[in-house]
Amino acid sequence: RVPSELARLLAAEEIDVGIVPIVEYLRGVGEAILPGMSISSRGPVRSVLVFLGCPAAEVETLATDTSSRSSAALAQVIFRKRYGTDPLQVPCPPDLDAMLSRAHAALLIGDPALASEGGDHDRLDLGEAWFELTGLPFTFAPWVVRKGAPVRELTQILQAAKAAGVGDLRSIAVEAARERPFSAALIESYLTVNTNHDLTDDHLRGIERFARY
């Protein structure tokens, strides 16, 4: 299930733990973040991109991929802090040409962003823009538990799963390439270079900074 659905289930206490969008946690979903694990970036992330139909400082409307509230909130922060603007966000399905026909810029995440990164449009990588702004990682989704969940046991299980996965990223990339229009090499690079799986003090400072912004 996608993180937004996990956030809904966690809010309803139908699950004990889920990897949920950071903006949902900051809005009160769940009780606590589990240590040491996240989906985050420390620099260019490649899968969270704003494609520009005009200079970034002139963007007045931003078509946003409806599948990510955290990325939409991050885009809002970047435009405010870097350009002093506050584009109107227009929710759209993730079709770049259609999005740019309706707005000055378009936010794509995940596979649609990766598939479009070789195109002609100028773009902002929001992971890179955040790192340049703050010098801190950006945490897109931490593992969050509900109130009363067995924190120690869940932490041990999930950290063991993380260790197993990080230790076998090449095989994971090969398997993922069978289901996606990307090479195993691209996926492995994305999982090892662009995506960060930790949750350090720097990550927590980044979360605090994002909450302030």
Side-chain angles (χ1 to χ4, degrees):
R1 302 195 185 201
V2 297
S4 58
E5 173 67 4
L6 295 177
R8 184 191 69 77
L9 294 171
L10 189 64
E13 298 192 347
E14 294 181 28
I15 57 176
D16 288 336
V17 62
I19 191 160
V20 305
I22 186 60
V23 74
E24 300 293 351
Y25 171 74
L26 294 176
R27 290 171 178 165
V29 172
E31 176 71 9
I33 294 175
L34 293 184
M37 302 169 289
S38 73
I39 297 174
S40 56
S41 70
R42 190 185 290 270
V45 69
R46 295 175 66 187
S47 59
V48 183
L49 304 176
V50 171
F51 294 85
L52 299 167
C54 66
E58 299 175 13
V59 171
E60 296 181 0
T61 52
L62 174 66
T64 56
D65 185 332
T66 53
S67 59
S68 177
R69 295 176 183 173
S70 291
S71 297
L74 176 58
Q76 183 180 47
V77 166
I78 295 302
F79 274 100
R80 284 179 178 173
K81 293 294 183 180
R82 179 177 278 192
Y83 304 107
T85 61
D86 194 11
L88 175 68
Q89 295 195 1
V90 182
C92 296
D95 180 312
L96 182 58
D97 289 339
M99 295 168 92
L100 289 175
S101 73
R102 297 185 58 189
H104 294 130
L107 170 65
L108 285 179
I109 69 164
D111 287 0
L114 284 170
S116 300
E117 68 175 358
D120 296 331
H121 296 287
D122 290 336
R123 71 208 64 192
L124 287 172
D125 183 307
L126 294 188
E128 182 177 26
W130 172 262
F131 190 74
E132 290 174 349
L133 177 68
T134 66
L136 296 167
F138 188 82
T139 301
F140 291 94
W143 284 95
V144 179
V145 294
R146 67 168 177 81
K147 187 175 182 178
V151 172
R152 173 186 269 181
E153 292 84 351
L154 289 170
T155 299
Q156 290 174 343
I157 291 167
L158 291 170
Q159 287 187 343
K162 171 194 167 183
V166 170
D168 198 25
L169 287 177
R170 179 161 297 179
S171 296
I172 291 171
V174 169
E175 184 66 26
R178 294 178 181 143
E179 303 173 357
R180 290 174 169 81
F182 308 115
S183 70
L186 183 151
I187 294 172
E188 184 178 3
S189 174
Y190 172 72
L191 292 175
T192 55
V193 177
N194 304 109
T195 306
N196 184 264
H197 311 284
D198 301 321
L199 191 69
T200 65
D201 289 344
D202 272 355
H203 289 78
L204 295 176
R205 282 191 284 271
I207 291 171
E208 292 171 0
R209 184 79 60 88
F210 183 56
R212 279 208 311 276
Y213 287 169

